[in-house]
Amino acid sequence: MSGGDQARRDARTVEIGYALASAGFLGAVAFGVIAGPAAVWNLPHRVTTALLLTGATAAGLLAVVRVVHVLLTYERARGRRG
C-alpha cells in the first residue's frame, strides 16, 4: 500500500463525512422551515400532521440529493485531476 493510496482513501473519507454533515444540516433547516409553523402556532391537527410529514419528506429527499451531489462532484473533480 503506497502513501498515495492512503491519501486517496483519506480524502474520500473526508468527502463522505462532509457530504453527510452538510446533508444533515440541510435536512434540519428544511424540516425547520416547513414544519416550524406547527410548533409556533396552534394549528388544526390535520395541518400540523401535514406540515410534519411534508417537512420530514422534504428533509429526507434534500439530504439524499445533497449527498449524491457532493459525492458526484468529488468524483468528477478527481477524474479530471487524474
Side-chain angles (χ1 to χ4, degrees):
M1 176 188 321
S2 71
D5 290 340
Q6 184 63 41
R8 277 193 289 276
R9 284 202 325 257
D10 290 347
R12 185 174 291 143
T13 300
V14 168
E15 201 64 27
I16 290 169
Y18 168 72
L20 293 173
S22 65
F25 178 77
L26 177 63
V29 169
F31 180 79
V33 167
I34 296 170
V40 175
W41 297 309
N42 188 16
L43 301 171
H45 179 70
R46 284 187 179 183
V47 174
T48 299
T49 302
L51 286 172
L52 292 173
L53 288 174
T54 303
T57 302
L61 287 174
L62 286 172
V64 168
V65 168
R66 178 66 182 162
V67 167
V68 169
H69 173 73
V70 168
L71 295 179
L72 285 177
T73 302
Y74 170 73
E75 287 299 321
R76 285 187 194 127
R78 203 180 111 222
R80 276 186 248 131
R81 286 191 299 259

